[in-house]
Amino acid sequence: MTRQGFAIGALSQQSECNIETIRYYERIGLIPRAERRGRYRYYTNEDADRLRFIKRARSLGFAIEEIRDLLRLTKSGSDDGIDACADAKAIALLNLNNVKARLDDLKRMEAVLTDAIGACDRDIFRGCPILATLSGTYKTDEHGNLP
Amino acid sequence: MTRQGFAIGALSQQSECNIETIRYYERIGLIPRAERRGRYRYYTNEDADRLRFIKRARSLGFAIEEIRDLLRLTKSGSDDGIDACADAKAIALLNLNNVKARLDDLKRMEAVLTDAIGACDRDIFRGCPILATLSGTYKTDEHGNLP
DNA sequence: CTTGAGTCTGTAGTGGCTACAGACGGTACA
DNA sequence: TGTACCGTCTGTAGCCACTACAGACTCAAG
């Protein structure tokens, strides 16, 4: 570190983002092109903050393009605060719905899998309950469909 | 339909798999190379069964390579029935654990998002609760981390 | 004979990274 | 001054499971 700022390895540790991921984010323009000294990228605390923001948003399921929008909102002037919050809320709601849909899907999977695996131990069944479930010949509902 | 069997469009309808997906499955060897009459692929009911098996397995979260293994198990002789069932159970358990892990992740996301969105309506907060959550400056725990 | 629907191959794109190869930079220590 | 070694660079390709074309063909009905 010649004067100030830190190289990509330090940023990676601070933000808990993979080095390759950081370079990827730069490539797609999610973070600005880093200042260079020589060939090396050098970063500030502001860059680290931005990256931690991204990391948190990703861990909450936001898509890259949503995060792009959210980042833009953080930069809007204080006059736009209420608008920005409404926009952020709209994006978060979309994401929440997405998360809920995926939850419903996974809950259904969990139930069916748990059932089929349980049957392996419990049932004396002509054949394998798991393979039968997948073949559509086990515990079908009144329409002949798996739950 | 000249004699017997049906073309890919009919198979697509029967199995509820996209035509492109069926061709993709053939390309990666998940289903055998279809019999051809002229240039067109022709399929039997057995093919449709296999594809429905795959479709159900995918909808339960099994990965393609797991499905490859499961399909192999369905073809093992009746002598291997108990072994095959144990193998199927092992694969299903791996998948169930995977599903559970994803469920836990999504539940955490749902909780945080619901909280932050709720705060938008409830709280009089200096700034946007959602953006604050992502910035790490809202409702942090005793270690300063987001939940 | 034409029309229109179905099918064909091959390739490229999606999202969000991750993993190299092979070259270059910078520093600590002998 | 040498050298060892880690960090960083660019560029490209791979992952998963599809999906979406373009542009050519096949085939049956009218």
Side-chain angles (χ1 to χ4, degrees):
Chain A
M1 193 183 317
T2 324
R3 248 157 306 175
Q4 73 259 10
F6 35 87
I8 201 166
L11 180 65
S12 172
Q13 280 184 272
Q14 274 196 51
S15 63
E16 294 177 277
C17 287
N18 196 317
I19 288 178
E20 309 278 11
T21 304
I22 296 170
R23 287 200 275 249
Y24 168 71
Y25 286 162
E26 181 179 310
R27 215 161 47 241
I28 64 170
L30 191 61
I31 57 177
R33 191 164 150 66
E35 186 212 337
R36 304 285 180 124
R37 285 212 281 287
R39 295 199 191 288
Y40 286 18
R41 293 166 177 87
Y42 279 86
Y43 297 96
T44 65
N45 289 327
E46 221 180 313
D47 294 318
D49 284 342
R50 191 183 178 91
L51 216 43
R52 275 189 293 262
F53 182 101
I54 294 168
K55 175 96 196 197
R56 276 187 214 102
R58 286 293 300 135
S59 83
L60 291 175
F62 288 97
I64 295 287
E65 290 313 305
E66 290 173 329
I67 295 171
R68 217 186 276 275
D69 293 340
L70 289 168
L71 282 167
R72 224 176 289 123
L73 293 176
T74 65
K75 280 188 296 193
S76 62
S78 58
D79 291 350
D80 316 324
I82 290 158
D83 281 357
C85 189
D87 288 355
K89 192 183 166 188
I91 295 168
L93 265 174
L94 276 178
N95 184 35
L96 178 57
N97 287 337
N98 188 327
V99 166
K100 279 181 174 166
R102 287 192 279 158
L103 262 174
D104 287 348
D105 247 37
L106 285 169
K107 280 178 189 160
R108 181 190 48 78
M109 294 182 199
E110 188 191 28
V112 178
L113 287 168
T114 301
D115 207 42
I117 290 168
C120 281
D121 303 321
R122 222 174 33 246
D123 290 10
I124 288 149
F125 186 86
R126 222 176 100 75
C128 175
I130 289 162
L131 297 176
T133 298
L134 296 173
S135 299
T137 59
Y138 186 68
K139 278 202 178 167
T140 55
D141 68 15
E142 69 276 14
H143 305 293
N145 297 317
L146 286 166
Chain B
M1 194 184 319
T2 327
R3 249 157 304 176
Q4 72 259 8
F6 36 86
I8 200 166
L11 180 64
S12 172
Q13 279 184 271
Q14 275 195 51
S15 63
E16 294 177 275
C17 288
N18 198 316
I19 288 178
E20 309 280 9
T21 305
I22 296 170
R23 287 199 276 251
Y24 167 71
Y25 286 163
E26 182 179 311
R27 213 158 51 238
I28 64 170
L30 191 62
I31 58 176
R33 191 164 151 66
E35 185 211 340
R36 305 285 180 124
R37 285 213 282 285
R39 295 199 192 288
Y40 287 18
R41 292 166 177 85
Y42 279 86
Y43 296 96
T44 64
N45 290 327
E46 221 180 313
D47 294 319
D49 284 343
R50 190 183 177 92
L51 217 43
R52 276 190 293 261
F53 182 102
I54 294 168
K55 174 98 196 195
R56 276 188 214 101
R58 285 294 299 135
S59 83
L60 292 176
F62 287 97
I64 295 287
E65 291 313 304
E66 289 173 329
I67 296 172
R68 216 187 277 275
D69 292 341
L70 289 167
L71 283 166
R72 224 176 289 124
L73 293 176
T74 64
K75 279 188 297 193
S76 60
S78 57
D79 291 350
D80 316 321
I82 290 160
D83 281 358
C85 189
D87 288 356
K89 192 184 166 189
I91 294 168
L93 266 174
L94 275 178
N95 184 35
L96 178 57
N97 287 336
N98 188 327
V99 166
K100 279 180 174 166
R102 285 192 280 158
L103 262 175
D104 287 349
D105 247 38
L106 285 169
K107 280 178 190 161
R108 181 189 48 78
M109 294 181 199
E110 188 192 27
V112 177
L113 287 168
T114 301
D115 206 41
I117 290 167
C120 282
D121 304 321
R122 225 176 30 246
D123 290 11
I124 287 151
F125 186 86
R126 219 174 103 76
C128 175
I130 290 163
L131 296 176
T133 298
L134 296 173
S135 299
T137 59
Y138 186 66
K139 278 199 179 172
T140 55
D141 67 15
E142 69 275 15
H143 307 294
N145 298 315
L146 285 166

